Amino acid sequence: CEVPEGGLVPKSLYRTAEELENEDIKLWTETIYQSASVFKGAPHEVLIQIVDASSVITWDFDVCKGDIVFNIFHSKRAPQPPKKDSLGAHSITSPGGNNVQLIDKVWQLGRDYSMVESPLICKEGESVQGSHVTRWPGFYILQWKFHSMPACATTSLPRVDDVLASLQVSSHKCKVMYYTEVIGSEDFRGSMTSLESSHSGFSQLSAATTSSSQSHSSSMISR
């Protein structure tokens, strides 16, 4: 410590919350995990291309700040890569991590892409691990979205404007550390029994729309 016991801490040694946060980010970058910022109106999305059906998408993430909603979507066509001049898909880098949006604003749920799992609400401080056995080839999008209270009114601003407006509002920002991996069905077959035994309420939508022999998923939450 650079300050003797009982001494007055000089203001030159004061650290802002953002500076402390950036120090944490440096530690995170030394691991296999990636950090992402989630803003109100601007989710973070990760694209996974699946060639062989019955592949297994696995995820492991920690909610470091705020409450988020975790979704998994499927699309037969690839989203356009984020462009600075695009109004639909955006990539934003902030001190707290990346923020990438892949689902174009003109896309319609049920027409251009579909939800393959029920939304999972994850609270600050929770660690979530889970798996999803894909039913179709194509493009899967893992999404971490800001969890708004039901009483909050929706905004009509474009998604980028939402981000710029909320960058200065800490209560509208979430942080996630995540790791994803795709495992071939032949490599995962030995673990399929354990996957079925830990089947949770997270996959109620999948269970209602697909047979158990075609789609299995699990998600575990711990503190």
Side-chain angles (χ1 to χ4, degrees), residues 8-218:
L8 186 65
V9 179
K11 290 187 176 182
S12 61
L13 296 179
Y14 284 10
R15 300 290 184 87
T16 65
E18 288 297 323
E19 288 175 334
L20 294 174
E21 184 176 295
N22 291 342
E23 288 184 359
D24 291 338
I25 296 297
K26 292 179 181 179
L27 296 177
W28 299 346
T29 56
E30 298 176 358
T31 73
I32 61 175
Y33 288 81
Q34 299 185 58
S35 61
S37 296
V38 178
F39 303 98
K40 187 175 182 180
H44 178 67
E45 296 165 346
V46 173
L47 180 66
I48 298 177
Q49 183 176 2
I50 297 296
V51 177
D52 300 321
S54 299
S55 297
V56 181
I57 301 174
T58 66
W59 57 84
D60 181 1
F61 64 86
D62 293 336
V63 184
C64 304
K65 179 180 180 181
D67 299 341
I68 59 100
V69 180
F70 180 63
N71 289 298
I72 306 179
F73 301 103
H74 171 266
S75 176
K76 294 181 179 179
R77 59 176 175 147
Q80 293 297 316
K83 297 179 181 178
K84 291 183 179 180
D85 59 347
S86 170
L87 294 177
H90 308 279
S91 179
I92 297 172
T93 301
S94 71
N98 291 327
N99 178 274
V100 177
Q101 294 146 63
L102 300 167
I103 299 177
D104 199 287
K105 189 173 63 173
V106 301
W107 278 23
Q108 292 184 11
L109 183 63
R111 185 193 69 181
D112 301 291
Y113 66 108
S114 60
M115 182 181 294
V116 298
E117 292 291 349
S118 297
L120 179 68
I121 298 176
C122 308
K123 300 294 185 179
E124 181 175 325
E126 290 183 344
S127 295
V128 181
Q129 301 83 34
S131 306
H132 174 78
V133 181
T134 62
R135 187 180 180 187
W136 313 279
F139 300 90
Y140 288 79
I141 299 173
L142 307 187
Q143 181 193 75
W144 291 266
K145 183 174 67 173
F146 181 86
H147 180 233
S148 300
M149 298 301 292
C152 293
T154 58
T155 176
S156 58
L157 290 174
R159 301 173 81 180
V160 166
D161 289 349
D162 290 344
V163 177
L164 298 177
S166 62
L167 279 173
Q168 305 300 325
V169 184
S170 59
S171 61
H172 289 171
K173 177 182 177 181
C174 303
K175 281 188 353 184
V176 176
M177 285 179 57
Y178 67 92
Y179 173 75
T180 65
E181 186 177 1
V182 178
I183 304 174
S185 57
E186 65 280 359
D187 299 324
F188 201 79
R189 194 164 297 155
S191 304
M192 194 63 72
T193 302
S194 62
L195 181 64
E196 293 178 21
S197 63
S198 60
H199 202 77
S200 73
F202 177 48
S203 56
Q204 289 177 355
L205 176 64
S206 176
T209 56
T210 62
S211 65
S212 59
S213 63
Q214 293 173 316
S215 176
H216 302 284
S217 67
S218 65

